[in-house]
Each structure stands twice: as C-alpha cells, then as structure tokens.
C-alpha cells in the first residue's frame, strides 16, 4: 500500500497500474522524437507545414497544439519537435519520480499525443495509437490529483472497472473480427500458419514455429479464438477471483506468444498493461504479506461460509468445463491415437456466428451495465462508511465526479463497440450517438477490430523499391525492418514500432499505390534527402545510392513465403522464397508528369521555397538535439532509453536493499529492556520472605493486591 500525505492509502493495484500506464504514455513521445524530423520535417516524407491549415481558426477550435508555434516564434517542424521533447521530459519524469504521477501530467501527455495524432496522417492512424489515446483518458481518471491532496480513493474500483471494460472490448473485438469478417483462413483454421509469415514483423522464432506440423498449428488457431472470444466472456467480469486470474494468465500467455513470434510492439505492451485490471490487491501483496506462524490455527468457518465456498468452487468448475466443452464441440476436436495427432474443424459457418454475435453483443453490454452498477454502489457504500462528516462528504463528492465521468465514457464506448462487422449500432440510443459524434475528434474512446485484413494464403505481399541510374541496371533498396533480401535473418525490432515499414506492409496488402505518403517517399528518395534515406538504412554502407541518388525509381510487388527445408531443397540457406506478382509503381524520375500530378493531388507540391526558421534560443537547442540523434535508428534510441530506465531502477533497488539491511532490528518481546524499579520497591522486595513454587491461591491474591498498591502505581 502507498501512503498519501494525510494518512490515506492507495491500493497496490492502483500504484502498479499507474506505473505501467505512465510508462506507456511516455514511450510514444520518445519514439516519435526519434523519427519526427524524418517523417514530418521540412525534408521529410509528409512535411508538417503542409498539414497545418492555412486559415487560422480560434485557439479553442484548433485540433493541435501546433497552433502555438507562431506565438513562440517557431516553425511547424520546430513546434513538433518541441512537443516530442516535452513528452520525453514528462514521461521520463513521471516514470522516475512518484510525485509526477499525477492526473495533470497524464492530461498533458494526452494533449501532446492527441496533437501529434491529429496532424500525423496515415503514419499515426493505427489501432495502437487509438488504444494509447483511450488508455491516456483512463490514466487521467485512475491517477491521483495532487492539487486536491486527496487521501480518500474509494472510487478507485470505478475507474479500474473502465480499464477492465477497455481490455474486454479490445480482446473480444479482436477475436470477433477474425470470424465476423468472413476470413476463410480462420474458418478452416489455417490462419495461424499464414499469420506467422504474413504478420508485420516476423521473428526468427516464427520461422521455426512455421515448421511445426499442420495439425498443431490448427490447434493453435483454435486456442487463439478461444482465448479472445470465449475466455473474456466468462472470466473478465466474473465475481470469482480465481476465474479472473485464469483470464489474466491466459491473456498474458497469448501476448507473450505474439511477442516471441512477431516482435514486441506497443499494442502487445498496452494489452499486457490493461490485463493487470483483472488482478486485485491480494495478488500484489501476496509476496509481501506477513507469513503466519507455525502452529497458528485458522479460524473455524461457519456453516454458511463453508456452503458459499463449495458453491463458488462448483461454479468455477462449471465455467472451466464450459470452456472445455466449447473447445471440443465448436471446433470438433478429435484425437487420432494411432498417428498421435489431433484433428480440428469449425462446426459453424459465418451466418451462425453472426447470429451468435447479435445475441451476445447486447448481452455483453447489459453485463457491463450490471457490473459497473455493482462497482459504483460498492464504492458509494465505502464512502458512506468513512469516519467523520467532512471526510465522508469529500469522498462522496469525489465518488460522484468520477462515477459520472466513468458512466459517460462507458456510454460513449458502446457506439464504437457496436460499429464493427456483425454488430448493430442502431440499438444505441440516439442521444448517445449524437454525443459520440460531438466528441469523436478528441478520441476519448476507440473502435477495435475494424482494421482486420483477410489473411492471404498466397504468401506475404511485399513492396520492393528499385533504383537505377540508366534504366538498365536496377538495384533493390531494402528497408531495415521488413523482408527484402531472402537471405536476411528476420530482424528483432521491438519495442520500436517502425512506421514506414508498417505502412508499406499495409499498402502491399491493400494494393494502394496512390497514397500521399508513398508518393512523398518516392520524391524524397529521388532527391536523395538523407532524412528519408535513414528511414530505409541508417548505415550508409547498406544503402546502394549513398553517394548519388538514383535517377529512376520503380516498385514491384512480390509474394514471400517462409522456406520449408523438407520441400525447398534449393533454399536451404534462405529464410524466404519469393515470387514476382506485379508492378506496384511505374518507373518515374523527378520531372515525370505522373509523379508531379500525384504530388499535386496529395498536396505535396512545393509552391514556395522553404523559408529559413527563426534563430531563437529554443530553435538552437532543438537543432543541437536534432544533430545528435539524426544518425541513430529509432530502435537504438528507444532501446537506450529503456535500458537507462532499467539501470536507474536497478540502482535504486540495490540502494534500497543495502540501506534496509543497515537499519537496526527492533528488539523482540523477549528482550525488551525492563524499567528500573524504584529503591523503595527493591527494599520492600528484599524484606519479603521468599515464596516457594507451591504458593497457594491466597498468596497469589496477596501479590495482586500488592501490584495494585498506590506505591506500585507511581
């Protein structure tokens, strides 16, 4: 438990969840700072100065803090860098210093990242960006407000319930989207085999897992669907503690598998953080709670307590049996004892699943309403039981504010929750839909599962850029963090999230070659801008056009597959095998009319030369920092920051342990110093005759009377 300034205490769960959330909110500004100049700088792919509205609007109507740049004498690029540095400073400070884990700090981080999101375009409009923004809103509600010096946090269960509701929506919608989209790979249970090579950043372990028997990979697909659909339904809001712990460990195991086979992304870290909402204080305090002495008997339970315990155990066993029953019947699990294999096949089609979803969509919302009401009423009763009229009124006031805010967030979240495929948003009250439309630009709640893409059985589509000086000899320009060279080992990327590679991966799957960012990428590579070249390769020796930019560039689309040593005898030294599919982008040069037309349509055509920035002290500091990090990759910058934080926490833990061992141990009850007796007592004791061990009851009563004498009480 963590003490407040006025003696109140916060739960260990609250402290742990705040530390994890502030670490997540601090990660993104750090990451953005390492690449903001390359993506949004004046020489970047999408210059931020072209994204800022030309017509100035009132300050309160602005969607980004970039509007404050002119008041500070800064250009849009410098303002963007300053926002990233502020996010770095606030994030690091909040992670290292406990007093900075405050609602106001979270609110500042939320405003900074929302500003980046609104001007970031395609690079920042991913599912994990939406999730980070919604988690930031919840962090403002979960964290204490230091200005109020509040020592009563009886409303914590209400704000924690919102975190659990977000985790449920994220997990359930992710699983439902796989089947609601009609993806045939998930209905025939071959999705996991294709997913291992089709995911954004497969690891070396993914290649080895891909070599496992087909029946085992199909069983893995069943486990994924069960973990994301059935397990959240029956465990996340269960009143039984062990069921919630079961749900936590299932989700933790699933995310660790994703990390090991697909690199550690921000989405995985956020999911693990949100999963802590399934735990309670007893789980955090189990290691630090004092152990019972040997021989200490437990208090006998009453008949009613024993009956409740047995009923709870029966319900828990019934839930486990239901999970096992659905696992076997829904996917027709059969064991072949002769071949020592398992066979699995879905026993339902898309129409049957949509019927199931239509029923359980409304049911989950009502379960959420009942669960939220229970937490709110329980928190209110705890406030009523507070001692003192002033503290009781103050805690009730806080409860009312937090509960009203939580109810509003819950109501708003129902709209995107019912907007995915297979669900009906028409059942939501019109007033709630109107309220959601009014605040949608603030990204208070998000929709999850809507970005699911069908898994292709034809392989992993990849865009390969090629450059040439004469149009005859072409050389590939392979990025650092995506498959290109078939001999290259799958890289370790996480926890860094390469945005350019992510968009190229999405564009390859969607086949869209007219996106503004792709046109800007082609233009900057033809111009040889070092900021953009470093997005592909930080090491100049690995970039074939480091001395002189190419005169011509084109893009091809290939289908990549993991090699199979048993089948691909000629690919024993390769990790990938690929097959040409089609041309993705035609051959262009800087003066090509096709390229100029695409630049004009995307709003990237430079009509006026870039004006030199102002030479203020702030801009000089920004230029100095930019010069130090421009040659570093985003993965190196983020890994260095995380390693520094880990080192600081390790040193603090060692110092705390060393200083704790030096503290004098408190004297035990058997060795407590005795109070010196008065001389008169000692004289009286010396004159009294010694009594034998066989003293009678009368002698003992006389001794008690002597202890109660006035002289003894002095």
């Amino acid at each position: 438990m963590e003490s407040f300034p006025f003696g109140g205490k916060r739960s260990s769960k609250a402290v742990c969840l705040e530390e994890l959330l502030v670490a997540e909110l601090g990660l993104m500004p750090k990451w953005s700072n390492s690449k903001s100049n390359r993506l949004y700088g004046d020489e970047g792919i999408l210059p931020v100065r072209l994204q800022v509205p030309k017509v100035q609007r009132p300050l309160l109507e602005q969607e980004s803090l970039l509007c404050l740049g002119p008041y500070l004498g800064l250009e849009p690029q410098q303002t963007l860098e300053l926002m990233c540095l502020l996010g770095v400073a606030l994030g690091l400070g909040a992670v290292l210093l406990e007093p900075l884990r405050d609602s106001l700090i979270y609110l500042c981080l939320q405003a900074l990242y929302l500003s980046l999101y609104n001007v970031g375009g395609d690079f920042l409009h991913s599912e994990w960006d939406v999730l980070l923004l919604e988690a930031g809103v919840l962090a403002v509600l979960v964290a204490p407000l230091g200005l109020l010096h509040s020592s009563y946090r009886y409303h914590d269960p209400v704000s924690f319930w919102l975190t659990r509701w977000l985790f449920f929506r994220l997990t359930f919608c992710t699983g439902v989207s796989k089947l609601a989209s009609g993806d045939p790979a998930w209905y025939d249970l071959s999705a996991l085999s294709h997913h291992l090579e089709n995911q954004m950043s497969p690891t070396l372990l993914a290649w080895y897992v891909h070599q496992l028997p087909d029946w085992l990979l199909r069983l893995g697909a069943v486990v994924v669907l069960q973990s994301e659909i059935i397990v959240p339904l029956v465990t996340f809001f269960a009143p039984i503690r062990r069921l919630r712990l079961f749900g936590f460990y299932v989700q933790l195991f699933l995310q660790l598998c994703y990390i090991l086979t697909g690199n550690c992304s921000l989405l995985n870290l956020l999911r693990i953080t949100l999963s802590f909402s399934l735990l309670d204080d007893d789980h955090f305090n189990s290691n630090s709670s004092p152990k019972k002495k040997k021989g200490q008997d437990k208090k006998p339970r009453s008949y009613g307590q024993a009956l409740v315990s047995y009923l709870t155990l029966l319900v828990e066993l019934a839930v486990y049996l239901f999970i096992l029953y659905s696992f076997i019947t829904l996917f027709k699990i059969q064991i072949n004892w002769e071949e020592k294999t398992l066979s699995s096949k879905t026993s339902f089609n898309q129409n049957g699943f949509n019927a199931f979803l239509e029923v359980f969509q409304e049911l989950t919302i009502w379960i959420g309403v009942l669960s939220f009401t229970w937490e709110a009423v329980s928190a209110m009763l705890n406030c009523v039981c507070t001692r003192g009229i002033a503290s009781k009124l103050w805690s009730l006031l806080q409860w009312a504010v937090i509960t009203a805010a939580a109810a509003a967030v819950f109501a708003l979240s129902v709209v995107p929750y019912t907007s995915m495929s297979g669900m009906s948003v028409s059942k939501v009250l019109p007033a709630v839909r109107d309220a959601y439309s009014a605040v949608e630009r603030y990204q208070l709640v998000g929709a999850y599962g809507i970005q699911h893409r069908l898994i292709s059985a034809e392989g992993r589509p990849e865009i390969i850029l090629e450059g040439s000086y004469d149009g005859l000899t072409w050389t590939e320009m392979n990025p650092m963090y995506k498959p290109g060279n078939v001999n290259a080992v799958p890289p370790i990327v996480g926890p860094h999230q390469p945005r350019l590679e992510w968009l190229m991966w999405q564009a390859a799957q969607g086949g869209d070659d007219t996106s503004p960012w792709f046109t800007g990428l082609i233009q900057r590579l033809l111009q040889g801008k070092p900021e953009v070249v470093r997005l592909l390769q930080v090491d100049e020796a690995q970039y074939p056009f480091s001395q002189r930019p190419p005169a011509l560039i084109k893009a091809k689309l290939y289908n990549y597959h993991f090699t199979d040593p048993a089948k691909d005898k000629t690919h024993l030294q390769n990790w990938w095998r690929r097959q040409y599919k089609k041309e993705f982008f035609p051959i262009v040069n800087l003066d090509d009319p096709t390229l100029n037309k695409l630049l004009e349509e995307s709003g990237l055509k430079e009509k006026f030369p870039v004006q030199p920035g102002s030479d203020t002290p702030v801009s000089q500091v920004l230029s100095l920092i930019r010069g130090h990090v421009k040659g570093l990759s985003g993965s190196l910058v983020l890994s260095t920051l995380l390693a520094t934080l880990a080192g600081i926490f390790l040193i603090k833990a060692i110092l705390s342990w060393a200083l704790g061992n030096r503290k004098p141990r408190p004297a035990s009850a058997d060795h407590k110093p005795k109070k010196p007796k008065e001389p008169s007592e000692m004289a009286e004791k010396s004159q009294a005759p010694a009594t034998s061990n066989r003293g009678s009851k009368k002698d003992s009563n006389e001794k008690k009377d002597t202890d109660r004498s006035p002289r003894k009480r002095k």
Side-chain angles (χ1 to χ4, degrees):
M1 304 287 282
E2 177 187 358
S3 297
F4 276 94
F6 296 106
K9 293 183 178 180
R10 297 205 65 204
S11 64
S12 303
K13 176 181 174 181
V15 177
C16 180
L17 191 58
E18 286 171 14
E19 290 176 354
L20 292 172
L21 284 175
V22 79
E24 300 294 346
L25 288 174
L27 277 175
M28 285 308 300
K30 298 167 194 162
W31 171 88
S32 299
N33 184 59
S34 66
K35 280 193 172 183
S36 62
N37 185 47
R38 305 173 189 177
L39 294 176
Y40 304 110
D42 291 335
E43 307 296 337
I45 296 178
L46 293 176
V48 69
R49 69 177 188 277
L50 301 179
Q51 312 298 321
V52 178
K54 305 301 181 183
V55 180
Q56 294 295 330
R57 293 181 295 178
L59 186 61
L60 295 179
E61 297 181 6
Q62 297 287 345
E63 296 183 354
S64 174
L65 295 177
L66 285 176
C67 62
L68 300 178
Y71 299 98
L72 300 175
L74 300 176
E75 298 297 325
Q77 174 188 343
Q78 297 172 337
T79 308
L80 186 69
E81 293 172 341
L82 181 61
M83 290 164 54
C84 293
L85 289 176
L86 285 177
V88 171
L90 290 177
L92 284 174
V95 170
L96 296 175
L97 302 175
E98 185 178 313
L100 292 182
R101 295 171 195 163
D102 189 84
S103 291
L104 294 179
I105 300 297
Y106 282 90
L107 185 61
C108 292
L109 289 171
Q110 175 75 3
L112 288 171
Y113 198 70
L114 181 61
S115 298
L116 296 176
Y117 177 86
N118 287 332
V119 298
D122 294 333
F123 286 111
L124 290 181
H125 283 190
S126 64
E127 187 172 77
W128 58 81
D129 292 308
V130 176
L131 178 61
L132 183 67
L133 289 170
E134 185 170 355
V137 174
L138 299 187
V140 176
L141 297 177
V142 171
L145 184 59
L147 293 178
L148 297 179
H149 297 287
S150 173
S151 59
Y152 304 99
R153 295 286 297 185
Y154 297 111
H155 55 267
D156 271 346
V158 179
S159 53
F160 285 144
W161 184 91
L162 277 181
T163 309
R164 193 188 307 174
W165 172 247
L166 170 59
F167 185 49
F168 170 78
R169 287 192 292 120
L170 174 65
T171 307
F172 185 68
C173 290
T174 302
V176 163
S177 64
K178 293 177 172 62
L179 297 175
S181 60
D183 194 337
W186 284 105
Y187 279 95
D188 62 17
L189 302 180
S190 64
L192 191 58
S193 176
H194 303 310
H195 168 76
L196 289 168
E197 59 186 8
N198 275 328
Q199 59 186 328
M200 177 186 166
S201 300
T203 62
L204 181 63
L205 184 60
W207 185 90
Y208 287 99
V209 175
H210 189 265
Q211 311 305 320
L212 294 176
D214 181 67
W215 67 267
L216 191 57
L217 293 176
R218 289 177 180 273
L219 183 63
V222 175
V223 172
V224 170
L225 292 176
Q226 283 282 112
S227 302
E228 293 183 344
I229 299 178
I230 302 298
V231 172
L233 279 176
V234 297
T235 63
F236 280 18
F237 297 104
I240 302 175
R241 177 176 181 265
R242 286 190 295 265
L243 286 178
R244 296 196 301 272
L245 291 180
F246 173 77
F248 167 77
Y249 285 112
V250 167
Q251 301 305 321
L252 181 62
F253 172 77
L254 187 64
Q255 295 309 313
L256 290 178
C257 292
Y258 283 150
I259 290 173
L260 292 175
T261 58
N263 275 293
C264 178
S265 68
L266 182 67
L267 185 60
N268 301 125
L269 295 177
L270 281 169
R271 283 190 171 188
I272 293 175
T273 301
L274 294 174
S275 68
F276 278 79
S277 61
L278 299 175
L279 305 179
D280 52 15
D281 288 340
D282 293 338
H283 197 79
F284 288 98
N285 299 331
S286 58
N287 296 327
S288 59
S289 58
K291 297 182 179 180
K292 293 184 178 181
K293 296 181 180 180
K294 292 183 179 180
Q296 185 177 357
D297 297 332
K298 296 182 179 179
K299 294 182 180 180
R301 294 186 300 176
S302 64
Y303 176 77
Q305 291 175 337
L307 181 60
V308 171
S309 178
Y310 291 140
L311 290 177
T312 300
L313 182 60
L314 289 176
V315 172
E316 186 178 352
L317 291 176
V319 171
Y320 294 144
L321 290 176
F322 171 75
I323 295 176
L324 182 61
Y325 174 78
S326 61
F327 183 82
I328 296 175
T329 57
L330 293 179
F331 301 99
K332 296 182 179 179
I333 304 295
Q334 294 180 354
I335 302 177
N336 189 331
W337 297 104
E338 296 180 358
E339 299 180 1
K340 297 181 180 180
T341 60
L342 285 174
S343 63
S344 53
K345 181 182 179 182
T346 54
S347 60
F348 54 89
N349 54 22
Q350 186 175 2
N351 293 331
F353 181 77
N354 289 338
F356 155 83
L357 190 59
E358 185 177 356
V359 174
F360 274 84
Q361 170 206 358
E362 189 173 355
L363 180 61
T364 54
I365 295 175
W366 282 112
I367 291 176
V369 171
L370 293 176
S371 179
F372 176 78
T373 305
W374 174 268
E375 296 291 351
V377 172
S378 300
M380 183 191 67
L381 293 178
N382 289 332
C383 295
V384 172
C385 296
T386 307
R387 293 182 179 180
I389 297 178
S391 59
K392 185 178 300 185
L393 292 176
W394 181 236
S395 59
L396 282 173
L397 178 61
Q398 293 182 69
W399 170 85
V401 173
I402 295 298
T403 303
V409 173
F410 171 63
L412 292 174
S413 68
V414 174
V415 178
Y417 174 60
T418 57
S419 63
M420 62 177 299
S421 177
M423 294 188 176
S424 175
V425 74
S426 60
K427 297 181 180 180
V428 183
L429 294 176
V432 177
R433 294 201 300 267
D434 295 341
Y436 174 79
S437 301
V439 299
E440 186 176 5
R441 61 175 182 169
Y442 300 110
Q443 299 298 321
L444 300 179
V445 293
Y448 307 105
I450 59 176
Q451 295 185 359
H452 175 78
R453 293 180 179 271
L454 300 182
I455 297 179
S456 173
E458 299 178 356
R460 173 194 182 94
E462 280 291 346
I463 300 172
I464 302 299
L465 295 171
E466 296 183 0
S468 174
Y469 292 119
D470 54 8
L472 300 176
T473 304
W474 294 88
T475 306
E476 294 183 2
M477 298 178 287
N478 295 317
M480 296 178 287
Y481 304 123
K482 62 187 287 291
N485 186 357
V486 294
N487 299 320
V489 180
I492 300 298
V493 181
H496 172 60
Q497 196 74 55
R499 299 285 175 152
L500 178 60
E501 284 81 352
W502 170 67
L503 278 184
M504 293 183 71
W505 171 70
Q506 281 202 325
Q509 292 184 334
D512 185 11
D513 61 345
T514 59
S515 299
W517 66 268
F518 193 81
T519 306
L521 173 65
I522 297 296
Q523 179 195 27
R524 296 308 187 190
L525 291 177
L526 287 171
Q527 294 173 346
K529 298 298 181 181
E531 292 84 356
V532 177
V533 170
R534 292 191 190 100
L535 287 174
L536 298 182
Q537 290 289 345
V538 175
D539 186 5
E540 294 184 357
Q542 301 295 326
Y543 186 66
F545 301 99
S546 57
Q547 302 298 325
R548 183 163 60 96
L552 301 169
I553 286 182
K554 65 179 179 179
K556 294 181 179 179
L557 194 65
Y558 287 85
N559 280 339
Y560 278 69
H561 291 272
F562 275 139
T563 56
D564 187 353
K567 299 178 181 179
D568 306 321
K569 301 297 183 180
T570 59
H571 297 278
L572 295 180
Q573 303 299 323
N574 299 340
W575 298 96
W576 299 93
R577 57 181 176 86
R578 70 181 188 181
Q579 181 181 6
Y580 174 77
K581 186 176 181 180
K582 65 176 183 178
E583 182 185 78
F584 186 80
F585 198 84
I587 301 175
V588 294
N589 56 30
L590 276 177
D591 299 326
D592 193 282
T594 303
L595 180 63
N596 291 327
K597 180 181 178 181
L598 290 175
L599 290 173
E600 289 182 1
E601 293 176 352
S602 304
L604 300 177
K605 190 68 175 178
E606 301 285 353
K607 298 180 180 180
F608 304 99
V610 179
Q611 300 296 327
S614 57
D615 192 18
T616 61
V618 177
S619 62
Q620 293 176 2
V621 173
L622 293 174
S623 300
L624 181 63
I625 297 176
R626 188 188 313 124
H628 280 83
V629 302
K630 67 179 182 180
L632 305 176
S633 65
S635 178
L636 179 61
V637 171
L638 186 54
S639 300
T640 303
L641 286 171
L642 293 178
T644 303
L645 288 175
I648 293 174
F649 281 119
L650 180 61
I651 293 174
K652 289 174 64 177
I654 293 175
L655 291 177
S656 176
W657 175 79
L659 295 176
N661 287 343
R662 292 181 182 178
K663 292 181 179 180
R665 295 182 179 179
S668 61
D670 298 335
H671 298 86
K672 288 185 178 179
K674 297 181 179 180
K675 289 181 66 177
K677 296 184 178 180
E678 298 181 4
S680 58
E681 295 176 10
M682 296 179 65
E684 181 181 350
K685 185 176 181 180
S686 62
Q687 294 175 2
T691 58
S692 63
N693 292 336
R694 298 177 181 177
S696 62
K697 186 175 182 181
K698 180 178 179 181
D699 295 334
S700 103
N701 291 336
E702 290 176 357
K703 188 176 179 181
K704 291 181 180 179
D705 294 336
T706 305
D707 292 339
R708 297 192 187 99
S709 64
R711 182 181 296 176
K712 196 72 175 179
R713 290 196 301 266
K714 285 184 179 180

